[in-house]
């Protein structure tokens, strides 16, 4: 095993950076670095993606991203290709999904390990390797020991919010976890070129834990809100009012309940702690509770429809992305709600003004609501918040029955009621329960 505190050849000047993986994280990072004077080679194994970026096509619905990408390409500082090449530094931004093969889910490191294998032939002593992909604790050390060169290495977790990636890439504070101090210092030089927030240096395992703890904190908080929603239903209490009032306490900040937790981070990262620790009971329980919410929501709908006695019910799903105003449907709870409704013999149609790719067909608004009995809002897109009275009366003309179920507390309920809709809210504590 290599000594973590000694490194041979020194190479302190970083001019050329290879960014591996050009998705939500890698593409903005590569473009940002290129716009800040680095010579950047962006690498993705997906040929279509590489061609689309070269042709300056919009591949990710993220505000300002294409302007940044175009600027980077036109400056001559950003090249994109399918194979890595020699560079001073390498930044790994490839996916780390869950693998579910019996028992609790685990981190699938296949993409990270294959990215490491791909850069190995191009690595020289003194190069810097940075990992931005979210990984379980001690993975950076494990990967460092796979590389047979005197390199610098650090884990630099990404903390950006989809929808605000470019702003947060610059403004957020950054944690850099070096395999040793020199690695952290060298990584800091790169991030300082574009980060306005503070940069904190630590060791790689602490940085790995920090990233996972941030998302676990949110997951556990949402699980608590979801449990409160169920308890409030039993107590005839509107959970949204109760949370709002509880949050008036200066040291309380309960997040919102909803149909489940999705996305590439919060619904996944806590499992990376569970897989490595025997003591992560609460974290595991919270994950299971949030994962069970789509079924809970589906059961509420099924029970409600039993009371209504509607033949061949058709429901219209509004929103399938995992959160509002983004196009990302990865791990979206909507998929599980839809599966459950289909297995209960509901006809389901879907409308989402942002989503482009989804497991089930996406419809235009009119087609989605045509002859429908009920709208089920699963995502808090601004388009849903901003429905005006005229929009709702047009919607109501096309529907067979006028019921709307809001699982995100996003609609203006009064104007829906004024337009003749029966409005139900997840956790409203009075109108429905299982
Ligand atoms: N999306 C977010 O908001 C976010 C936030 C924080 C952290 N992260 C983490 O960042 C990592 C990347 O996430 P993302 O959302 O950018 O993923 P993504 O799926 O959008 O993009 C990953 C890209 O990597 C490419 N790829 C896969 N294997 C490769 C290889 N061996 N060589 C080159 N390219 C390869 C894929 O083709 C894809 O284009 C994940 O670990 C994720 O958990 C994501």
């Amino acid at each position: 095993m290599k000594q973590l505190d000694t490194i041979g050849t020194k190479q302190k000047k970083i001019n050329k950076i290879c960014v591996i993986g050009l998705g939500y994280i890698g593409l903005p990072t590569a473009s940002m670095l290129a716009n800040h004077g680095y010579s950047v080679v962006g690498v993705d194994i997906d040929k279509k993606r590489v061609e689309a970026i070269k042709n300056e096509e919009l591949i990710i619905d993220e505000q300002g991203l294409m302007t940044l990408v175009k600027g980077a390409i036109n400056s001559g500082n950003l090249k994109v290709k399918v194979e890595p090449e020699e560079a001073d530094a390498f930044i790994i931004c490839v996916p780390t999904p869950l693998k579910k093969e019996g028992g609790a889910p685990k981190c699938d490191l296949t993409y990270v390990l294959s990215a490491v294998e791909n850069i190995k032939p191009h690595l020289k002593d003194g190069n810097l390797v940075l990992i931005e992909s979210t990984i379980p604790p001690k993975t950076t050390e494990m990967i460092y020991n796979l590389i047979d060169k005197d390199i610098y290495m650090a884990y630099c977790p990404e903390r950006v919010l989809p929808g605000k990636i470019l702003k947060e890439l610059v403004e957020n504070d950054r944690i850099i976890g070096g395999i040793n101090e020199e690695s952290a210092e060298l990584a800091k030089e790169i991030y300082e070129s574009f980060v306005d927030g503070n940069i904190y240096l630590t060791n790689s395992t602490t940085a790995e834990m920090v990233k996972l703890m941030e998302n676990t904190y949110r997951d556990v908080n949402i699980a608590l809100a979801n449990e409160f929603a169920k308890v409030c239903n039993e107590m005839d209490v509107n959970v949204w009012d109760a949370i709002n009032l509880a949050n008036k306490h200066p040291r309380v900040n309960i997040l919102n309940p909803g149909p489940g937790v999705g996305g590439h981070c919060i619904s996944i990262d806590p499992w990376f702690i569970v897989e490595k620790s025997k003591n992560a009971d609460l974290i595991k329980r919270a994950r299971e509770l949030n994962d069970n919410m789509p079924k809970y929501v589906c059961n509420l709908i099924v029970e409600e429809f039993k009371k209504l006695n509607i033949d061949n019910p058709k429901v219209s799903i509004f929103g399938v992305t995992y959160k509002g105003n983004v196009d990302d449907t990865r791990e979206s709870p909507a998929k599980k709600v839809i599966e459950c409704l289909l297995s209960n013999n509901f006809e389901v149609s879907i409308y989402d003004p942002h989503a482009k790719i989804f497991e089930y067909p996406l419809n235009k608004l009119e087609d989605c609501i045509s002859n429908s009995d009920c709208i089920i809002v699963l995502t808090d897109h601004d388009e849903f918040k901003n429905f005006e009275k005229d929009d709702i009366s047009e919607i109501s003309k096309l529907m067979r029955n006028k019921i709307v179920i809001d699982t995100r507390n996003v609609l203006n309920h009064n104007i829906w009621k004024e337009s003749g809709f029966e409005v139900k809210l997840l956790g409203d504590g009075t109108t429905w329960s299982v």
Side-chain angles (χ1 to χ4, degrees):
M1 173 164 162
K2 282 190 264 185
Q3 294 295 310
L4 296 189
D5 55 353
T6 56
I7 278 197
T9 327
K10 301 264 152 51
Q11 178 214 280
K12 282 279 177 190
K13 189 76 189 131
I14 307 281
N15 294 312
K16 182 174 171 187
I17 303 174
C18 220
V19 177
I20 315 293
L22 298 175
Y24 285 90
I25 297 303
L27 185 58
T29 303
S31 310
M32 193 65 88
L33 289 166
N35 280 311
H36 284 78
Y38 285 103
S39 165
V40 179
V41 179
V43 179
D44 203 293
I45 45 167
D46 181 346
K47 283 184 195 146
K48 277 195 200 145
R49 177 162 287 232
V50 167
E51 284 312 308
I53 298 170
K54 275 187 194 161
N55 296 330
E56 300 180 358
E57 286 166 23
L58 179 74
I59 52 164
I60 296 170
D61 183 12
E62 182 66 41
Q63 212 188 4
L65 178 60
M66 282 327 286
T67 312
L68 190 78
V69 173
K70 281 180 194 171
I73 292 175
N74 294 334
S75 73
N77 282 348
L78 176 64
K79 308 252 178 307
V80 283
K81 34 189 310 228
V82 287
E83 291 282 350
E85 59 184 48
E86 282 196 1
D88 304 317
F90 297 82
I91 307 183
I92 296 176
C93 310
V94 298
T96 44
L98 284 180
K99 58 177 176 194
K100 298 167 188 164
E101 16 179 79
K106 289 194 170 114
C107 177
D108 181 355
L109 282 173
T110 314
Y111 299 95
V112 173
L113 294 174
S114 112
V116 170
E117 283 308 311
N118 293 348
I119 63 170
K120 261 186 179 176
H122 308 283
L123 274 179
K124 300 186 297 290
D125 286 350
N127 278 172
L128 171 67
V129 175
L130 303 177
I131 303 179
E132 288 204 8
S133 301
T134 308
I135 45 179
K138 298 200 177 286
T139 305
T140 307
E141 281 184 11
M142 182 272 284
I143 291 173
Y144 181 72
N145 286 312
L146 293 177
I147 298 174
D148 186 22
K149 289 270 160 43
D150 271 348
I151 57 158
Y152 299 94
M153 189 160 187
Y155 174 61
C156 308
E158 195 45 80
R159 321 160 104 179
V160 290
L161 183 72
K164 289 191 181 162
I165 291 182
L166 299 194
K167 185 173 182 287
E168 295 211 347
L169 210 51
V170 173
E171 290 178 6
N172 285 1
D173 289 351
R174 239 159 147 157
I175 311 295
I176 296 178
I179 205 85
N180 51 26
E181 247 174 69
E182 284 183 308
S183 296
E185 289 290 350
L186 195 53
K188 187 179 174 200
E189 277 179 32
I190 294 183
Y191 290 102
E192 267 175 349
S193 72
F194 66 88
V195 171
D196 284 345
N198 297 316
I199 298 181
Y200 299 96
L201 305 189
T202 181
N203 64 52
S204 57
T205 308
T206 304
E208 288 162 345
M209 273 309 293
V210 169
K211 168 69 191 171
L212 299 176
M213 283 160 62
E214 290 163 4
N215 283 338
T216 300
Y217 164 77
R218 293 180 62 76
D219 197 45
V220 172
N221 193 331
I222 296 168
L224 183 63
N226 282 332
E227 189 152 292
F228 283 151
K230 294 178 184 176
V231 173
C232 283
N233 250 354
E234 283 178 77
M235 303 297 150
D236 301 335
V237 168
N238 180 317
V239 73
W240 302 88
D241 292 344
I243 288 177
N244 185 30
L245 292 172
N247 285 349
K248 302 287 180 209
H249 185 292
R251 286 169 297 284
V252 172
N253 183 19
I254 305 165
L255 296 175
N256 291 331
V261 175
H264 198 19
C265 288
I266 300 182
S267 68
I268 290 181
D269 299 354
W271 288 118
F272 297 1
I273 299 182
V274 175
E275 82 171 78
K276 291 285 179 181
S277 168
K278 293 188 205 96
N279 293 300
D281 302 339
L282 173 67
I283 299 171
K284 182 166 184 276
R285 185 66 204 109
R287 227 19 344 272
E288 287 166 348
L289 199 146
N290 285 336
D291 269 355
N292 203 37
M293 281 310 287
K295 192 148 188 256
Y296 176 79
V297 166
C298 173
N299 287 344
L300 286 175
I301 298 163
V302 171
E303 289 306 312
E304 192 60 24
F305 268 83
K306 275 186 195 158
K307 287 183 230 154
L308 295 172
N309 243 338
I310 295 173
D311 287 336
N312 307 318
K314 174 180 172 183
V315 293
S316 307
I317 302 292
F318 274 24
V320 288
T321 63
Y322 81 93
K323 63 174 220 152
N325 307 321
V326 298
D327 66 351
D328 194 344
T329 56
R330 288 177 294 179
E331 308 293 325
S332 166
K335 188 176 160 238
K336 288 192 200 159
V337 175
I338 292 165
E339 272 164 11
C340 175
L341 289 170
L342 288 172
S343 72
N344 280 282
N345 299 321
F346 280 77
E347 187 185 337
V348 178
S349 61
I350 302 166
Y351 166 64
D352 190 304
H354 291 264
K356 293 180 199 76
I357 303 168
F358 190 57
E359 283 84 348
Y360 296 97
L362 299 166
N363 304 104
K364 289 193 183 131
L365 176 60
E366 296 73 25
D367 298 333
C368 174
I369 54 178
S370 169
N371 216 24
S372 169
D373 297 300
C374 174
I375 292 169
I376 302 165
V377 180
L378 295 179
T379 305
D380 48 348
H381 289 315
D382 282 348
E383 286 81 351
F384 305 154
K385 272 181 213 166
N386 297 336
F387 276 130
E388 309 253 350
K389 214 164 176 188
D390 289 349
D391 305 320
I392 299 167
S393 91
E394 288 306 311
I395 289 173
S396 110
K397 280 181 204 156
L398 292 171
M399 293 189 58
R400 182 166 69 165
N401 282 294
K402 292 186 200 129
I403 305 164
V404 61
I405 294 174
D406 184 358
T407 68
R408 298 275 189 180
N409 202 9
V410 60
L411 301 180
N412 179 336
H413 296 153
N414 284 340
I415 58 170
W416 284 82
K417 282 179 191 161
E418 282 161 23
S419 305
F421 274 83
E422 189 184 339
V423 178
K424 295 182 182 298
L425 169 67
L426 174 70
D428 64 13
T430 51
T431 52
W432 58 331
S433 61
V434 279

